[in-house]
Amino acid sequence: MSNDNSSANSAQNPAAKLWGGRFSEATDAFVERFTASVMFDQRMGLEDIQGSLAHAQMLSEVGVLTADEFQQIAGGLNAIAEEIKAGEFPWSVELEDVHMNIESRLTQRIGATGKKLHTGRSRNDQVATDIRLWLRNRIDQIASELTRLQTGLVDLAEQNADTIMPGFTHLQSAQPVTFGHHLLAWNEMLTRDYERLMDCRKRVNRSPLGAAALAGTSYPINRARTAELLGFDAPTENSLDSVSDRDFAIEFCAFSALLMTHLSRASEELVLWTSSQFDFIDLPDRFCTGSSIMPQKKNPDVPELVRGKTGRVNGHLIALLTLMKSQPLAYNKDNQEDKEPLFDAADTVLDCLRAFADMAPALKPKKENMYAAAGKGFSTATDLADYLVRKGVAFRDAHEIVGHSVAFAIEQNCDLAELSLAQLQQFSSAIGEDVFDVLTLEGSVAARDHIGGTAPNQVRAACARARKLLGAR
Ligand code: ARG
């Protein structure tokens, strides 16, 4: 590896920094570490190479590099990509960030031609490009895990289209619903998350390459070409904006925070449902852990952790918003702080989706327990009121009559359906023998027979619509 730049790694020689020409003393050792980002931005190594390959190819197409120079650069970059994949790349804090590590390695490997790669670009447009490429990859992985999770939920919903459970408001039993309907509520939240993610992807997928440091470059570059080579929809419009704004990363974190909020709500329900107080579902042992002191315990750690990790993702959203809010145009070093929150948000979301997608098909509803719980708490009281309305009683009066009936049933320590016809008729002569049809749980859910309702046939139809949407992704 002989070349004319072999001393590039020496901190003693200020000129050894790629930007060291105007400096007369070496960087303070602490400052070197403080300002470096290679510890975390090396994750974008392959994207950095992808961007450099497109840039170099474009430079050769417009005549800034010769075909031979491009071949050398491409050969060197591809070899470096192999080193990175093999975990053999010698990352160096002295070289500050992923960009200068790779550029300096290139010159080490191919000699002076490597120094031509940075023609017509800056680390400012380079890093903006790398982040977008990295995030686009992550978005696509997240989208596919989201689809896997939703597919599992819809399958489970279909199998439980007529599994009756209590529906809650204020966490009090309100009206019976089907378990399938409840699962489809989760699915709706996730469908909106998916839409938000796809919308965010459109704004991520624009190429800032060519904005250079801030004002563009005097070389005859072809920005549309690099955009095309990198699979971006188009170049970004304004060079100052291109190198500075990280709104696309903020948007991604906003998507992430909402998705995590939804997963957290579902987690909370799983935690409740696996408790011995609810005992609605069985979560297979492989998703749980035990207690080191209480031998009887089986804890729903996976949903608890998903619920807990929501906090850090919300934090990342606030971190990025705050990072951006006071920055004057154009690039500022502040932006180096965008990566760790963004990376962690993406990692956390992907892990949590994976956990949920694995878990969803394995949830085993304890149908008898759900059914028994649905029968408690006078969950068909509204059905009795609606029945009275059909018999000609005004709704407000019906509400009052049912209130009295419920109070009486509480006194008798029984459910509405367990009262005799004579007992019910004390409260309204409009009540007849057919009242017992509406007081059953099956009658109650079947009656909510419209789009968005909990009737089993509506749940099946909603599953079919959801499947169609998933299939069209
Ligand atoms: N490591 C830097 C970042 O993450 C790269 C861009 C540095 N540009 C500069 N002019 N210092 O933002």
Side-chain angles (χ1 to χ4, degrees), residues 271-293:
V271 170
L272 288 170
W273 293 348
T274 51
S275 70
S276 56
Q277 288 75 15
F278 276 81
D279 204 16
F280 281 4
I281 59 163
D282 183 52
L283 191 56
D285 287 358
R286 64 183 181 279
F287 300 107
C288 300
T289 62
S291 157
S292 56
I293 176 169

Side-chain angles (χ1 to χ4, degrees), residues 37 41 97 99 123-124 127 331 333 335-336 339:
S37 54
D41 68 14
D97 58 23
H99 323 293
R123 277 185 295 153
N124 296 352
V127 69
Y331 177 85
K333 185 78 165 177
N335 274 345
Q336 184 163 289
K339 283 162 211 67

Side-chain angles (χ1 to χ4, degrees), residues 305-384:
L305 266 177
V306 172
R307 188 177 60 187
K309 283 175 188 289
T310 306
R312 67 200 276 169
V313 174
N314 288 351
H316 297 325
L317 171 61
I318 297 299
L320 290 193
L321 281 167
T322 313
L323 174 68
M324 208 65 241
K325 71 177 273 292
S326 304
Q327 286 194 49
L329 286 171
Y331 177 85
N332 302 282
K333 185 78 165 177
D334 311 41
N335 274 345
Q336 184 163 289
E337 286 289 305
D338 63 357
K339 283 162 211 67
E340 289 160 291
L342 178 65
F343 292 167
D344 189 70
D347 290 347
T348 304
V349 161
L350 197 56
D351 281 352
C352 293
L353 280 173
R354 183 189 164 164
F356 251 82
D358 288 349
M359 215 162 45
L363 298 176
K364 296 271 171 295
K366 297 185 172 178
K367 298 186 184 184
E368 297 87 69
N369 294 355
M370 285 181 167
Y371 190 88
K376 287 187 206 141
F378 308 101
S379 65
T380 56
T382 316
D383 296 274
L384 178 54

Side-chain angles (χ1 to χ4, degrees), residues 86 101 150 165 209 231 306 334 343 385 404:
N101 266 267
Q150 291 190 260
M165 69 178 281
L209 203 56
V306 172
D334 311 41
F343 292 167
H404 291 311

